[in-house]
Amino acid sequence: MTRARKPLMCISVTALFLAAACTDPSYVNGTDPNQKAKQGAVMGGLLGAGVGALASDKKAKGAIIGGVIGAAGGAAIGSALDRQEAELRQQLDDDVQIVNTGDRLILTMPQDILFAVDSFTVAPGLRGDLLKVAQSLQRYPNTTVQVVGHTDSDGAASYNQSLSERRANAVASVLMDGGVPFNRIRAFGRGEDQPVASNLTPAGKAQNRRVEIVILPNA
């Protein structure tokens, strides 16, 4: 067998591992509480195998080593996100939507409960939830945080952009008040540019008025 074909075999083995994982009943039905961790391990293995194959002179051996390292790293990231997600679901109000994509957590807070109309002062009732998020971020320090403000399309686009930035900064300030270091947080606004629903109905506009807290594991 030629050297050129060895890395392809290693990557193919990893691909078979991915196929096996996807046919596992708990994977298909979404009942496995560690599903994101397993997905992270699989994806980490695929990435690591590819990187190892490219980086090593002995390509086949490099692919195997890279796959093992990548799988371990991906599993660790996925497991940490699973734990943090479960804790936040127990601690936060039901109005806060939490999505675990496997490589990040996205917390979505409707602006209608965070702020009064045209205000960028965080409502006292939601400040407690944000401080709980800050405590969680301190328990999981190997992450960075993006705080992103969004608005509906009512009013001038320039005003909406400014309002979204001020609201994102207000949420970030509460997180920092809760002990999260400044260098872990980036706050910015998207104005009306990234709607998740139609701006033609009141219900759609309410969904578009939101602040997202995106928790990203460090590489």
Side-chain angles (χ1 to χ4, degrees), residues 8-154:
L8 295 178
M9 281 190 62
C10 296
I11 295 172
S12 297
V13 170
T14 312
L16 288 173
F17 174 46
L18 174 61
C22 291
T23 55
D24 184 275
S26 63
Y27 187 103
V28 174
N29 297 328
T31 57
D32 187 347
N34 297 314
Q35 178 175 325
K36 293 294 190 305
K38 292 178 179 178
Q39 289 174 336
V42 172
M43 296 308 296
L46 285 171
L47 179 60
V51 171
L54 292 173
S56 175
D57 291 335
K58 296 180 179 179
K59 292 183 178 180
K61 183 177 180 181
I64 295 173
I65 295 171
V68 171
I69 294 173
I77 288 173
S79 178
L81 287 176
D82 288 342
R83 292 195 305 272
Q84 189 172 18
E85 176 194 7
E87 292 173 8
L88 287 170
R89 287 190 184 281
Q90 291 180 343
Q91 296 168 1
L92 300 181
D93 189 90
D94 290 340
D95 288 327
V96 180
Q97 179 186 6
I98 303 174
V99 174
N100 185 345
T101 67
D103 66 345
R104 68 193 62 195
L105 291 180
I106 305 173
L107 281 60
T108 301
M109 297 188 166
Q111 287 191 6
D112 292 354
I113 64 173
L114 271 174
F115 305 99
V117 177
D118 290 331
S119 170
F120 51 91
T121 301
V122 175
L126 266 293
R127 187 177 176 87
D129 271 350
L130 290 175
L131 291 176
K132 291 175 183 176
V133 174
Q135 292 170 1
S136 175
L137 292 172
Q138 291 181 79
R139 288 193 297 273
Y140 296 87
N142 294 321
T143 58
T144 55
V145 185
Q146 295 178 351
V147 183
V148 191
H150 301 270
T151 70
D152 60 28
S153 62
D154 285 350

Side-chain angles (χ1 to χ4, degrees), residues 127-200:
R127 187 177 176 87
D129 271 350
L130 290 175
L131 291 176
K132 291 175 183 176
V133 174
Q135 292 170 1
S136 175
L137 292 172
Q138 291 181 79
R139 288 193 297 273
Y140 296 87
N142 294 321
T143 58
T144 55
V145 185
Q146 295 178 351
V147 183
V148 191
H150 301 270
T151 70
D152 60 28
S153 62
D154 285 350
S158 58
Y159 175 81
N160 289 333
Q161 177 62 35
S162 176
L163 182 61
S164 69
E165 292 172 0
R166 288 179 296 188
R167 287 180 165 176
N169 285 325
V171 170
S173 293
V174 176
L175 295 179
M176 287 186 283
D177 289 345
V180 183
F182 171 81
N183 60 5
R184 287 183 62 190
I185 300 177
R186 181 187 172 206
F188 53 94
R190 295 300 190 197
E192 60 189 61
D193 291 341
Q194 294 183 346
V196 293
S198 171
N199 276 307
L200 299 178

